[in-house]
């Protein structure tokens, strides 16, 4: 899942991003509304954590742009204004949720998780294929009943392959969905992650390489 954090207080923005990355989100950061619009024009995000009072382009205008663009991005609006009328005004712009500063990062992440479930069609409680069971809610993986301990990125890659339901997923798509914009597009990180994933899942191998196309679990 990919998240854009838009917050002009750099320390807060970086703290939010780091917290969400620990929970396996791919996170990009923008420190003003203009930069946010640039990223939104290039990348697709499941959730945008959007401060309302932004420099360059106001958060209200960023929110309007997201809504009018008709994409699937959900908006969690942040503000220091606690008055009911301010919350109502933010929601009337099309924001999906509203959080007043100061807030606990654990609450913010819970709201982001809730919005990601709304941003995409609900995934089944468990994903099962070729003897592999992935439980996204508990972040657990089993192979033929054996628990498999995976890193966050290995889990994210496996989950994307399982959601594809046998279809081929390109390395570019895996890079887009499991890493953030700072990753080098020419990196071999996907190939290395798949190699580690295969080793941990064990034999017989289930993650197949389709030369020149990508990877699949058939």
């Amino acid at each position: 899942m990919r998240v854009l954090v838009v917050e002009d207080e750099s320390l807060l923005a970086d703290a939010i991003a780091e917290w969400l990355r620990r929970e396996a989100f791919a996170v990009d950061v923008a420190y003003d509304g203009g930069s946010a619009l640039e990223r939104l024009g290039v990348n697709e995000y499941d959730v945008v954590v959007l401060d309302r009072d932004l420099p360059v382009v106001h958060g209200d205008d960023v929110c309007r742009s997201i809504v009018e663009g008709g994409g699937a991005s959900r908006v969690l609006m942040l503000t220091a204004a606690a008055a009911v009328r301010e919350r109502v005004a933010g929601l009337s712009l099309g924001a999906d949720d509203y959080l007043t500063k100061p807030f606990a990062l654990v609450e913010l992440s819970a709201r982001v998780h809730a919005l990601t479930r709304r941003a995409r069609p609900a995934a089944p409680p468990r994903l099962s294929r070729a003897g592999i069971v992935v439980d996204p809610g508990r972040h657990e993986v089993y192979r033929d009943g054996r628990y498999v301990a995976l890193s966050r990125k290995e889990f994210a890659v496996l989950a994307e392959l399982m959601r594809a339901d046998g279809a081929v997923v390109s390395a570019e798509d895996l890079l887009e969905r499991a890493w953030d914009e700072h990753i080098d597009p020419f990196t071999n990180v996907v190939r290395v992650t798949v190699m580690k994933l295969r080793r941990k899942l064990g034999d017989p191998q289930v993650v197949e390489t389709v030369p020149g196309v990508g990877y699949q679990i058939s």
Side-chain angles (χ1 to χ4, degrees):
M1 297 294 183
R2 193 162 188 177
V3 177
L4 176 62
V5 175
V6 191
E7 168 62 62
D8 63 319
E9 296 180 31
S10 59
L11 290 178
L12 177 58
D14 294 344
I16 293 171
E18 181 59 27
W19 184 273
L20 294 176
R21 286 175 184 138
R22 291 175 183 172
E23 300 193 16
F25 287 105
V27 185
D28 298 334
V29 180
Y31 301 106
D32 62 71
S35 298
L37 291 176
E38 291 177 4
R39 285 169 171 77
L40 287 162
V42 175
N43 304 311
E44 293 184 4
Y45 296 97
D46 296 285
V47 176
V48 179
V49 179
L50 178 66
D51 183 38
R52 192 172 183 191
D53 189 15
L54 290 171
V56 183
V57 177
H58 196 275
D60 288 359
D61 295 321
V62 175
C63 186
R64 289 191 188 95
S65 178
I66 294 171
V67 173
E68 292 171 1
S73 299
R74 301 293 182 177
V75 178
L76 171 57
M77 187 168 279
L78 307 178
T79 182
V84 172
R85 65 177 180 276
E86 294 294 334
R87 295 198 299 271
V88 171
L91 293 170
S92 68
L93 293 169
D96 299 278
D97 199 358
Y98 208 94
L99 192 57
T100 302
K101 299 177 182 177
F103 51 81
L105 288 172
V106 66
E107 180 182 3
L108 180 140
S109 64
R111 290 174 183 250
V112 170
H113 278 290
L115 289 175
T116 59
R117 290 193 291 270
R118 293 166 56 187
R120 292 184 176 180
R126 288 188 169 191
L127 304 168
S128 180
R129 190 176 189 84
I132 299 172
V133 175
V134 175
D135 188 331
R138 296 187 176 185
H139 209 272
E140 294 177 347
V141 174
Y142 295 87
R143 172 77 189 273
D144 297 326
R146 173 180 62 89
Y147 175 74
V148 181
L150 300 179
S151 71
R152 292 193 299 271
K153 294 304 182 186
E154 291 161 359
F155 184 92
V157 168
L158 178 61
E160 291 297 337
L161 292 173
M162 295 288 284
R163 289 189 182 103
D165 198 25
V168 179
V169 183
S170 70
E172 290 78 11
D173 283 342
L174 290 172
L175 202 63
E176 170 75 17
R177 297 170 190 172
W179 282 268
D180 60 34
E181 66 179 357
H182 298 294
I183 193 71
D184 181 353
F186 301 105
T187 182
N188 66 349
V189 66
V190 173
R191 182 177 62 82
V192 171
T193 301
V194 169
M195 179 181 66
K196 293 179 179 178
L197 184 59
R198 284 174 173 151
R199 184 169 64 247
K200 291 184 178 182
L201 290 173
D203 294 322
Q205 296 294 314
V206 292
V207 180
E208 302 175 5
T209 298
V210 181
V213 183
Y215 304 92
Q216 69 178 152
I217 297 177
S218 58

